[in-house]
Amino acid sequence: MQWRINIPPLTKALLALLIACSISYQALWYGLGYQHYLALIPQWALFAPWVYFTATYSEQNVITILIAGATLLYGGKYLERAWGSREFGKFILLITLVPNFAASLVYVLLFAISQNDDLALVVIQGSVALQAAFLVAFKQLVPEHTVTILKGAIQIRVKHFPAIFLVANTLSGVILGTDTALVLAWVGFMTSWTYLRFYKYQLDLASASTGQSQLRGDASETFAFACFWPDMVQPPVVAIADGIYNALVALRICTPFSAEDIETSNEQANARGQGGLPSLLNQGARRGENSRRDEAERRRAIALKALDQRLHEATSNRQTPAPLSASVPAPELMNSQISPEADVRPKQNEPSLKVHPVPKASKSTRAVVLTAVEDTLRDQKCDNSPTAYFAALLALLSQSVSPSDGLVNKELATSVVYLLDIVTSYVSAPLLRSKFSQILSNLAPALSSQDVEAPLVRSSIGCLESLLIAQDTAAWALPQSQTSPRKAIFGLLTLSVHHKPKVRKRSQDAITNVLKNPPPSPSLDHPAADLCAETALRTLKEAMTMSNTKKRRGRDPRQEPHQPGIIHALQLVRTIASASGGWSAKKIESLCTILMEISKSSNEYLTIAAFDLFETLFVGMADEFSSAKLPRLLEAISTLRPSENDSQLLPPWIAVVSRGYDVFAQVAPEETFQKLPQLFEMTTGFLAASSHNVRVSASECLISLLVNCIPNNAILEPSPSDEKILERLANSAIELLSVKYQAAWIEIFNVEATLFEALKWRSSPLANNIVKTIGELRGNDSFMGKKEADFVLGKAIEAMGPQVVLETLPLNLSKPRLSDPGRAWLLPVLRDHVRNTNLAHFRTEFVPLSEVMFQKVLDDNGPEKSMEIKIFETIVQQIWSLLPGYCNLPLDLVSAFDQSFAELLANLLYRQTELRPDICRALQSLVETNQKIQTEEATEQLLLLTTRMTKDDAQKNLEHLASFAGNLLAVLFNVYNETLPQYRGYILQCINAFLSITPSQELQETFDRVNAKFKSALNEAMPQNHSDKSRPNQPSSSHMPPATHSLMDLIITLSIYLPVSSYLSLFTTTSQILHQAHDPQLQKKAYKLLPRLAKSPNAASALCDRTSDLQALLLSSASSVSVPARRDRLATLAVAIEHLPSSDLHFIPSVLPEVVIATKEVNEKARSAAFDLLVLMGQRMKTGGTIEQSRIPHMASDAPVAEAGLDEFFTMVSAGLVGSTPHMVSASVTALTRILYEFKSELSNQLIENLVSTMDPFLTSNSREIVRSCLGFTKVAVISLPEELMRPRLENLIPALMAWSREHKARFRSKVKHILERAMRRFGYEAVEQCCPEQDRKFVHNIRKTKERRKRRKEAAAATAAVTEGNVGVEEPRRKRRFESEYDKAVYGSDSSETASEDAAEGEDGVDADEPRGRAKGRQAYIMEDPDEPLDLLDRKALGNISSSKPVKLNRAPGKRRVKTDVDGRLILGEGDGEGEDAMVIDGDGSVSGSKKSKMEAEREPGDGTLEGGTNAYVEAIRGRDA
């Protein structure tokens, strides 16, 4: 064999780690100076604890790297194979960590004693400890092995190497100053010896025959500590070592070895001594000379004779076998040790081994056979090569199995074949070919006998697999009648349908490996592929024949519902098909015939298996090597076309054809495209079938063909032949709309829609007749498929464009004629599907039509609008609702969007308020769709195919739009100022889109103009006297807001696009507003500016530069903040804290009181913002920094500087507990509750204990506000704090809680009940009851009984539901309340389904409020009905009028209304909470958020769920059910 070195996996990983760490260390040392991230430096080790591991593998120079690499390569290979990867990994981990930690500790102690800084900065690294440990391990395993140096001039035994190594490192450390190597060598030596001597488990080789015993440690005398040293110094070493050992035994640190342990260990040491280090330089060497070959044959004959004698001796005396070697001394053979405890079988291409449990008798026999083979090879001085093992085992096989006598010794044969299965994978192919006949003859009885056990059969199959893979083309050409590979693989095929699953699986795996490794040949198939296919088909036919015979005899098919014979045969066919690149080309027709026959079986398992096999065939032929078989397979499937009346077989056959051509289109797209018309025409014939399943299958097949079989080139750059093919497809699709296929029109419409999607713009003029036909059908009043027809026409509009569709189906709205009816129903279809077309068509077609319709509206002078005028208005609105679609990636934007069109849109924005939403959405779409093209990662070909545009085209479009940006922004600004707040959202979105493409110079000029107008308006709106201040400016939704509000909205929108030079002016303007409290809404808008600015990278950097000014502004404006602006101010404070440098952390305690007070705000969003800000403050303090307390307001100028941290943060918040008002104390408790829940796992137990004990006095406070907050704190503490910390505090906590259990106000009783329930769950009922006062235990008992009663009721309900499903009397479980955060769930949630009302209804005596008291058990329901209109019970919304509570009539005085309305009669809701007045809320991407956006958008689109204007009877007519 060729020379090779196999490296075990863990050793390979350690070598890679050594190289990586050493190279990284050099880079960090020379390049950055951060070597302490890999090497161990005691002063830095705690900050990088991983260095205790990486330091061992970080070498300083090339020489040490080579030494360490050689140590790991040779030593690691030997130890990993001797011990196994797991034990070797434990040893490596121990030797890596312990010496480094001990050395670090030594230098820390030396530094503490001497105060020498150099000792704390010493660099500890290198593999010295590893080298010492490996020498100790070799001393244990092969102590007497002799190492020869300089051709025999120096000979040293392995057992002397540890002492030499230690002495050398000691002298080097004392003389040369390499003290770190000295420490590591001694610590590594002691650590490895201690582990191997006392702790490491090893196999008891004396009992290897049973495989059950293991020894801990090595008590052998040769591994004693004194044996590491020369004889002259052993007496004093023995005295010292024995003294230490006896002391450790007396202290019960060590367990003394027994005499039996010492004797067993000595025996194992003797067994190991017969081994030796394997040769790493002569593995697999061939003996080329004839003399050496002859000598080897002679020695092999002698060895076989000795092997036979040893084997008979061992089998006759099995109870006391000789000590076995723990591992095969041939590491080049098996990459791992062969142990007699497990069934080891190496895979063909896998270095790892799979272990299976085997019977004890088999283990014993294998151990005997393996020992005999090894001893014989050792005595004959043969090299431990695969060839030697193979020869020995082959001789034993001849003795245990005879071709004439069969199995001579079944037990011996099982073990020999098992070992032979392992060895044959490593034997050379020529040798296997030469011994093929002998091995096959010997294995034949094992494979053919009926009473052979499965382990022997599986091992025999493995041997055959290796033999067959090694055969060449000439061997495969031999006939099956001879002893040939064909005869062997026929046996495997027979076993592949064996009744035993493991044998069947092993045979199929072997066939797969054989077929995937064919001999060199020009053929695509394996030489045995035909034989395998033929045999598998024959097997499948026989199984089907047997099944049919049983069926004809009247046997009940339910006795064998799965028909295992057919399924096993199908599995064999699948195995061959997946392994041989699809299937044998000569047997495809036969296979398809059988599979189609199986597909129409009533057995669903067989049908699924047959279709899975078709899928396997197609997938196996998808590669370029096997794709040559695919046309023949498709041709075979086509010839099996069933009858058109066969409704059972047609659907599966159509599905197979669809899948087959899908795969064919992947490997041969052009050839598939050429065949597409014939396939299309063939499949369309099935749409006239009477069976619905056949029609559906045919339509799905046509859809699949259109989607997968038309290449992109045929659309982008079609050739003349491609155009003819597309034309044939279109003609076939047109024929589908004839009366012949009327029964399948629903399915045909899906095909037509897919055709438009596939052909895209090439649909015109090929499919114009389809549009015309479907349009005529859609215009027929009696046609029932209007929805499906609209869908097809929509796809045609997307593909062809609206211009082509309208040329075929004109609207006829301006001058309708009886002969050519109007098609107003096309307008909604156009609106939903127009995109990526020519904008000029809208200008030439729809703008004039809109003018005509609008003129008719203007010509009407009647006092009231007639129905006709309302229809004209609706048509105008629908026409302009098309504009957003035309502006979605228009192809002619540069030419169509000119100055005149821009002026037209500007005039409409000024004059036609009802058209503003559509025009603004259209302008926004112009910008955003082109920007999206620029950010797409698709290829240019894909962009052209989907949008007919490139990124360059999109860039030109954006540049063209940028030239209009300044004028359009001016128009939009003016329109924005003239629009009511609730209708401004879409205008802001449009403004935001155009700001993103406006040139910076124009942007600066626009901002200067807006800012100047804002300052002017601000000065004019400034209150002049005290009376003005008493009347704050609160805009109503029915009146225009002040100019300052509108201009401030525009400034906020402009802010993220401004250059950095504008921020100073922006900051000045904002600071002026923040100090003015007379206009709360304006101040609120000013506070919105900073969070929006933070989303811009440039603005974020500017905020960091001006952080001191921002802090001063926020601190100075704290006293003038208005109530509506508090939430936005908290958001601004959060942005400021996020950008806070570590030196300015004094800002946090400066604003902390304001944030703490905000946790008690009435507004829920403000409270949530305050809680989030508290958590953000804690996270910022946790990162560290300095707090200059002298810069905090109201602090002394000489206040010391504090270090930031969580403890300091909790101290700051706790300061509020000494507040002068209950409100402040309550807010502080609430704030502490929130941050305790967030940071509980990062706080010390002492701090938590102090915090919890501080709350005890407040729980007994007279202020209900304080107590309410303390109850929340208590609940969080009970739920989340450590149990060992809270359990001792129950004695004080429970009595304090029970004092409030009799208080019903503010739900105190319910809160206490919830806390006690959670305490009972966590600490147990007994613990809570024991701490509860005697007079209050009745309340605790009631809680327990209520919980048990609820549990019983739940179990009874579940049992009732299980017995009778859908029982009306069983109550549905109540829906659990959802919370926005885990903190809210902890504070406000409860496991109890009882509420405060239940507490009130449930007495102390434990009477359940749910029990009936003189009334029916079932709940009563009431119908709330409008007196003017009866309730329609068939309406889906009728459930909203059913209530579980009795409706109460409200007696209000007539004429009094509590709601406000605007000029249009719309309700104005939420005006007084400070949140609803501001309609200008822009998300980060510029989109408007909030309920007003939803309301506005719901009113602007007819297709969005509501009808426009309230007077659109025309839309009602054309979209109604009877349209």
Side-chain angles (χ1 to χ4, degrees), residues 1202-1246:
E1203 291 294 330
L1206 282 179
D1207 293 354
E1208 183 66 21
F1209 182 60
F1210 272 82
T1211 303
M1212 294 177 185
V1213 181
S1214 302
L1217 297 176
V1218 298
S1220 57
T1221 61
H1223 187 71
M1224 182 63 193
V1225 176
S1226 175
S1228 300
V1229 174
T1230 304
L1232 285 171
T1233 304
R1234 180 65 184 94
I1235 60 178
L1236 175 64
Y1237 183 83
E1238 184 71 25
F1239 301 105
K1240 58 183 178 295
S1241 60
E1242 304 176 35
L1243 301 176
S1244 62
N1245 289 339
Q1246 183 64 35

Side-chain angles (χ1 to χ4, degrees), residues 920-1145:
C920 288
R921 284 198 305 122
L923 293 174
Q924 179 186 352
S925 180
L926 282 175
V927 177
E928 292 182 349
T929 53
N930 283 280
Q931 288 178 335
K932 185 179 180 180
I933 289 294
Q934 285 194 316
T935 59
E936 286 286 346
E937 297 181 356
T939 60
E940 183 175 352
Q941 183 183 17
L942 183 59
L943 287 176
L944 286 173
L945 188 65
T946 55
T947 64
R948 289 189 283 176
M949 292 180 59
T950 63
K951 294 185 177 181
D952 295 336
D953 297 334
Q955 180 62 32
K956 293 178 182 178
N957 291 341
L958 291 175
E959 293 174 356
H960 180 72
L961 290 173
S963 62
F964 294 92
N967 296 330
L968 286 176
L969 284 175
V971 174
L972 292 171
F973 286 172
N974 295 332
V975 172
Y976 183 83
N977 291 330
E978 298 173 359
T979 307
L980 290 175
Q982 61 267 31
Y983 303 112
R984 289 178 166 181
Y986 57 87
I987 303 177
L988 273 183
Q989 293 182 33
C990 185
I991 291 174
N992 193 70
F994 272 91
L995 286 174
S996 63
I997 63 172
T998 304
S1000 57
Q1001 183 63 29
E1002 290 188 19
L1003 202 62
Q1004 181 66 45
E1005 295 174 357
T1006 302
F1007 171 72
D1008 293 339
R1009 290 195 300 268
V1010 174
N1011 193 27
K1013 290 183 179 181
F1014 175 76
K1015 292 180 179 179
S1016 176
L1018 187 63
N1019 294 331
E1020 294 175 1
M1022 190 74 66
Q1024 300 296 331
N1025 48 45
H1026 181 73
S1027 61
D1028 293 334
K1029 295 180 181 180
S1030 62
R1031 292 184 281 108
N1033 188 5
Q1034 295 290 343
S1036 173
S1037 60
S1038 60
H1039 298 84
M1040 295 299 299
T1044 52
H1045 291 194
S1046 301
L1047 292 171
M1048 191 62 194
D1049 291 342
L1050 298 177
I1051 290 176
I1052 294 174
T1053 309
L1054 279 163
S1055 58
I1056 62 173
Y1057 302 105
L1058 293 177
V1060 180
S1061 58
S1062 303
Y1063 289 159
L1064 179 59
S1065 177
L1066 193 63
F1067 185 81
T1068 304
T1069 303
T1070 306
S1071 60
Q1072 183 180 0
I1073 302 172
L1074 295 183
H1075 291 86
Q1076 298 178 5
H1078 67 279
D1079 193 347
Q1081 291 301 316
L1082 185 61
Q1083 189 183 61
K1084 179 180 179 180
K1085 292 177 183 295
Y1087 275 117
K1088 289 179 181 291
L1089 179 62
L1090 189 60
R1092 179 167 171 81
L1093 273 177
K1095 298 177 182 179
S1096 173
N1098 295 333
S1101 60
L1103 288 176
C1104 296
D1105 297 337
R1106 301 184 61 87
T1107 181
S1108 58
D1109 297 336
L1110 179 61
Q1111 296 172 31
L1113 174 61
L1114 293 175
L1115 291 176
S1116 61
S1117 61
S1119 59
S1120 59
V1121 62
S1122 58
V1123 175
R1126 286 177 181 172
R1127 177 171 67 95
D1128 296 289
R1129 175 177 169 83
L1130 292 173
T1132 304
L1133 290 175
V1135 172
I1137 291 175
E1138 287 178 356
H1139 297 83
L1140 203 64
S1142 300
S1143 59
D1144 290 350
L1145 293 183

Side-chain angles (χ1 to χ4, degrees), residues 805-813 817 820-824 826 845:
V805 175
L806 291 178
E807 288 175 356
T808 307
L809 300 173
L811 292 175
N812 297 327
L813 295 179
R817 293 172 296 179
D820 200 356
R823 296 185 178 90
L826 263 178
E845 178 75 17

